[in-house]
């Protein structure tokens, strides 16, 4: 069964509680529920969150053999992590990068993304709808 890896990075476990004026009031459970509802028949989702860079890298490695695509919000690692970029470069399927907020409207340090050097699509500023769009895109590109 084709499986999408939905990966969320640091602080996204607090979605719905932290800075709701920026990230909204919906939770990561809401994100997973909406993404599952968007899956075509016969697809599966593996939804994972970690505050640890190495854990995210291990899951990206796991995705090499198990994922039909990766939808990833790397949180602040977007702007700092060459290691996550390298891991994604070792993955061959579609990669969609998600940001809940419009990072380009925010501090300048959020304007650069290492992950965008690999991502096939980048979605920013659509709130949690961006994850659903990312999942739909992976399904339609297979
Ligand atoms: C989430 C974060 O935690 C920030 O570090 C990024 C991103 C933006 C988001 O909009 O989802 O800069």
């Amino acid at each position: 069964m084709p499986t999408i890896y939905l990966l969320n990075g640091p602080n996204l476990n607090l979605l719905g509680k932290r800075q709701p004026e920026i990230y909204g009031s919906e939770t990561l459970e809401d994100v997973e529920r909406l993404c599952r509802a968007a899956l075509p028949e016969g697809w599966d989702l593996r939804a994972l969150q970690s505050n640890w860079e190495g854990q995210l890298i291990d899951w990206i490695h796991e995705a090499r053999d198990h994922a039909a695509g990766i939808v990833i919000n790397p949180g602040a690692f977007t702007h700092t992590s060459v290691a996550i970029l390298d891991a994604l470069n070792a993955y061959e399927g579609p990669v969609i990068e998600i940001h809940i907020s419009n990072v380009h409207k925010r501090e300048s340090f959020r304007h650069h993304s290492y992950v965008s050097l690999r991502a096939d699509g980048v979605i920013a500023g659509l709130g949690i709808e961006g994850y659903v769009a990312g999942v739909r895109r992976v399904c339609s590109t297979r």
Side-chain angles (χ1 to χ4, degrees):
M1 178 181 291
T3 300
I4 297 176
Y5 273 40
L6 175 65
L7 301 181
N8 276 284
N11 300 306
L12 289 159
N13 54 311
L14 297 180
L15 195 60
K17 293 180 197 138
R18 76 153 172 163
Q19 295 183 281
E21 69 285 2
I22 295 176
Y23 298 106
S25 55
E26 291 125 322
T27 66
L28 212 47
E29 288 70 37
D30 295 325
V31 170
E32 182 176 345
R33 185 175 44 76
L34 290 176
C35 288
R36 280 192 187 283
L39 288 177
E41 187 79 31
W43 283 70
D44 199 7
L45 190 77
R46 181 153 155 73
L48 301 161
Q49 186 278 330
S50 180
N51 296 321
W52 297 83
E53 188 175 20
Q55 176 64 84
L56 292 163
I57 291 166
D58 284 347
W59 285 331
I60 294 166
H61 291 176
E62 184 187 301
R64 282 162 49 82
D65 291 325
H66 299 287
I70 296 175
V71 175
I72 182 167
N73 183 345
F77 292 145
T78 305
H79 320 296
T80 62
S81 182
V82 176
I84 287 178
L85 170 63
D86 285 349
L88 289 169
N89 277 331
Y91 173 75
E92 287 183 359
V95 174
I96 310 294
E97 175 184 349
I98 308 294
H99 303 291
I100 296 165
S101 64
N102 180 0
V103 283
H104 300 288
K105 212 176 166 185
R106 300 180 64 193
E107 303 97 322
S108 59
F109 64 82
R110 295 184 205 274
H111 297 176
H112 177 262
S113 166
Y114 285 101
V115 172
S116 293
L117 292 167
R118 166 62 180 88
D120 300 295
V122 181
I123 299 169
L126 298 191
I128 69 169
E129 281 175 42
Y131 290 95
V132 176
V135 164
R136 290 211 169 102
R137 180 67 182 172
V138 168
C139 296
S140 68
T141 52
R142 190 176 160 92

